[in-house]
Amino acid sequence: MSELTVIVPCKNEEEAIPLFYDELIRNTAFLEKRNVALKVLFIDDGSTDGTVSVVRSLNEKDPRVHLISFSRNFGKEAAMYAGLKAADSDYAVIMDADLQDPPSLLEEMFGYLDEGYDSVATRRVTRKGEPPIRSFFARRFYRLMKKLSDAQIMDGARDYRLMTRQFIDAVLAMTEYNRFTKGIFGWVGYKTKWIDFENVDRAAGKTKWSFWGLVVYSLEGITAFSTKPLVLSSLIGVIMCFVAFVMILFIIVRWLLFGDPVDGWPSLMTVIVFIGGLQFFCTGILGQYIAKAYLEVKKRPLYLRDEKNCF
Ligand code: UDP
Ligand code: MG
């Protein structure tokens, strides 16, 4: 008999977890026919509400429910890694606790594993219910990412993905500190089937993402999976040198023709400020990568477990 681990990162999801559990159980009856055992692994990512006790009471009713609790909030990326690491099963699937990743797709997803796929991924094709400005920037981000990075990242891709053991091990082999799982999934390759679905609103609770949180996350994604911004900053440097060269020629010619009247202070200032700004911009890009490398070499753990709340 094989086993499926359902990994559910949770931060303050006490309202959503019972709804999620019921819906999951309703939609996993098909596993029995396939001779696959179910294990539900909640990851408590530093929740400050009753998440731990809600999962504990589920565990009392149903021993297939497990929990890994973190010592503080480490973020969803760390939670997903912890879940995959703890999964010793043949298959694993990552799902949000808020039912935005519909468990009703699971049966179809499993079907594709029979066809030889190593992972079955999902993407939402609509973003209804989401603030339009957020959708707009999300679209821009995916388009930019496609240009910048070698790792394939689908527009609207969710972290909701069913994986075989081979795929899980590949993801676990990437132990980087600055994790951008959407990129990692694409980077590891293997045969992946994409399933589309309509966006679903959160079942309960509130989203953990602020607009700025998403902006920072997208920059994370870019620096983690592309070094093209560094190329851009070198390119700007080269172009500026060329412009400066043309300006020098212009000044020499003008001096030869008209002498050297002392004026042009305002234009000089604008040029200095402009180039100063570009220098800061490019140093900033460089700084981003150095900061990432700095955190990477420290080899800090991705998360810390609070053992008394793990079962
Ligand atoms: N989450 C988490 N740690 C965090 C933030 C979120 O484990 O620091 C979980 C959250 O509980 C949920 C999933 O990640 O199960 C997705 O979060 P959310 O629904 O807030 O994101 P959205 O669907 O709005 O993108
Ligand atoms: Mg959500």
Side-chain angles (χ1 to χ4, degrees), residues 7 66 69 82 93 101 119 127 166 174 192 211 214 220 228 251 253 261-262 267 275 302:
I7 298 161
H66 299 266
S69 197
V93 61
D101 298 332
S119 85
R127 287 178 170 269
Q166 158 167 281
M174 303 187 64
T192 297
F211 185 72
L214 284 172
E220 192 93 4
K228 296 232 169 79
I251 289 168
V253 170
V262 180
S267 55
I275 294 180
L302 285 165

Side-chain angles (χ1 to χ4, degrees), residues 39-264:
K39 182 171 165 184
V40 191
L41 177 58
F42 290 96
I43 317 288
D44 160 43
D45 183 15
S47 298
T48 49
D49 66 352
T51 294
V52 172
S53 54
V54 169
V55 178
R56 208 178 275 280
S57 60
L58 281 179
N59 167 263
E60 278 155 19
K61 280 192 306 183
D62 182 351
R64 294 175 300 174
V65 173
H66 299 266
L67 179 72
I68 291 176
S69 197
F70 286 177
S71 63
R72 63 168 171 85
N73 179 249
F74 281 91
K76 189 185 174 189
E77 293 291 334
M80 291 191 285
Y81 185 79
L84 288 173
K85 192 151 191 169
D88 47 6
S89 50
D90 314 81
Y91 311 105
V93 61
I94 297 172
M95 288 168 109
D96 283 5
D98 56 8
L99 287 174
Q100 282 191 297
D101 298 332
S104 53
L105 293 178
L106 264 178
E107 185 163 10
E108 185 191 346
M109 289 163 83
F110 250 93
Y112 286 109
L113 292 188
D114 301 337
E115 293 178 22
Y117 287 102
D118 289 292
S119 85
V120 186
T122 61
R123 59 192 281 252
R124 42 181 190 180
V125 282
T126 58
R127 287 178 170 269
K128 91 178 143 50
E130 195 183 55
I133 180 129
R134 179 174 294 193
S135 310
F136 175 79
F137 280 105
R139 289 250 149 75
R140 291 284 92 70
F141 167 71
Y142 285 111
R143 195 159 301 170
L144 184 67
M145 208 55 200
K146 207 168 252 170
K147 290 214 184 85
L148 289 182
S149 167
D150 305 330
Q152 282 289 311
I153 301 177
M154 280 274 190
D155 184 5
R158 311 259 327 154
D159 295 320
Y160 183 19
R161 187 184 283 252
L162 178 63
M163 297 162 252
T164 59
R165 187 72 245 169
Q166 158 167 281
F167 196 91
I168 300 168
D169 287 338
V171 172
L172 286 175
M174 303 187 64
T175 52
E176 59 221 70
Y177 183 80
N178 301 288
R179 291 189 85 72
F180 186 69
T181 301
K182 285 192 174 97
I184 292 175
F185 284 156
W187 192 93
V188 298
Y190 294 110
K191 256 183 94 181
T192 297
K193 172 75 191 174
W194 284 91
I195 292 184
D196 296 349
F197 70 97
E198 302 262 313
N199 190 35
V200 194
D201 274 343
R202 223 174 203 287
K206 281 203 299 280
T207 174
K208 310 297 177 297
W209 288 102
S210 67
F211 185 72
W212 277 112
L214 284 172
V215 171
V216 171
Y217 184 60
S218 60
L219 290 179
E220 192 93 4
I222 292 171
T223 48
F225 276 92
S226 169
T227 46
K228 296 232 169 79
L230 289 171
V231 178
L232 174 74
S233 68
S234 317
L235 209 64
I236 291 176
V238 172
I239 293 171
M240 289 318 287
C241 284
F242 180 74
V243 171
F245 181 70
V246 172
M247 282 161 84
I248 290 167
L249 282 183
F250 172 75
I251 289 168
I252 291 173
V253 170
R254 194 179 60 172
W255 170 66
L256 288 175
L257 293 179
F258 303 106
D260 187 20
V262 180
D263 62 2

